[in-house]
Amino acid sequence: MSQYNREEIQIYSVDSNDKSTENLALIMKELIRSSGYKIEDIIILCIGSDRSVGDSLGPLVGTMLKEHKVPYQVYGTLETPVHAFNLKDTLKDIKKQFKKTLIFSIDACLGEQNQVGHVLFKEGPLVPGKALKKVLPEVGDYHFSGVVNYIDPLPTMQFLNDTRLYTVMNLAKKIVTIIVQSANE
């Protein structure tokens, strides 16, 4: 789980209740098209754990993308999550299997109270584990962050346990819709 940082350059933000995902899907489609990468070299790296509601966004998105049979390579599902303990090994496997990749990473994040339920799409790598003060490798050329909860004086781990599944599911559906729409011709 990362932490939303105001200093980061935000490319696009959409509320999880907002019905318009077409613009973000078009942006993603254009980024892929203009990158010159083959479709089989596009990777969606979904980070998180299914053992905590607040951190389950990535594995939920990965599972839903597999169910939609998107043409991209998907890493991180409920069955085989990519999390803090296996992220480095997963990145090594990707480097062995692919010469050049365009990676879109996905993770849950914490933000401010008024940001809960927003999907953030940004250029540059995701810094997973930042909200929990974990030191993990940065991943992705672009990334989606779903703001699942907000920062409060309570210990950060408490936010993961107090996160509503409803919020996480809405964020996952929104991100999946965007990615599926970006893959359609």
Side-chain angles (χ1 to χ4, degrees):
M1 174 171 292
S2 59
Q3 181 176 338
Y4 174 64
N5 187 343
R6 284 185 181 270
E7 291 84 46
E8 293 179 78
I9 298 171
Q10 183 175 315
I11 293 178
Y12 200 89
S13 173
V14 62
D15 185 300
S16 65
N17 296 317
D18 185 356
K19 300 294 182 211
S20 65
T21 57
E22 296 83 15
N23 288 342
L24 188 47
L26 287 172
I27 290 169
M28 186 174 175
K29 181 183 264 188
E30 180 56 27
L31 288 169
I32 291 169
R33 190 195 62 71
S34 65
S35 73
Y37 287 92
K38 296 178 185 174
I39 204 81
E40 57 269 13
D41 294 329
I42 308 298
I43 294 175
I44 309 294
L45 181 57
C46 304
I47 301 167
S49 171
D50 62 338
R51 294 179 183 242
S52 167
V53 171
D55 200 28
S56 64
L57 177 67
L60 282 170
V61 170
T63 298
M64 291 176 185
L65 289 173
K66 292 260 188 181
E67 290 170 352
H68 280 85
K69 297 180 180 9
V70 294
Y72 313 126
Q73 305 294 320
V74 177
Y75 288 81
T77 62
L78 291 170
E79 183 179 3
T80 56
V82 174
H83 46 66
F85 298 115
N86 66 5
L87 177 60
K88 289 179 184 176
D89 290 336
T90 301
L91 293 173
K92 284 179 189 175
D93 290 345
I94 290 170
K95 286 181 182 179
K96 284 181 190 176
Q97 189 173 352
F98 301 93
K99 291 182 181 174
K100 281 180 68 177
T101 59
L102 179 63
I103 298 177
F104 292 87
S105 52
I106 299 166
D107 197 6
C109 76
L110 300 174
E112 295 178 16
Q113 192 168 6
N114 65 342
Q115 296 171 318
V116 174
H118 281 78
V119 173
L120 309 171
F121 180 70
K122 302 176 189 173
E123 181 176 10
L126 177 74
V127 184
K130 186 176 179 182
L132 299 177
K133 312 267 190 270
K134 293 182 181 180
V135 179
L136 297 169
E138 295 181 354
V139 292
D141 300 291
Y142 297 91
H143 68 275
F144 288 93
S145 296
V147 184
V148 298
N149 215 333
Y150 60 94
I151 300 167
D152 195 279
L154 295 172
T156 306
M157 195 60 199
Q158 185 66 33
F159 299 115
L160 299 178
N161 297 329
D162 289 344
T163 298
R164 295 192 60 215
L165 180 58
Y166 178 80
T167 302
V168 177
M169 285 300 293
N170 280 341
L171 287 164
K173 288 176 186 176
K174 185 64 64 176
I175 293 170
V176 168
T177 299
I178 292 164
I179 294 171
V180 168
Q181 288 177 350
S182 80
N184 293 335
E185 298 291 326

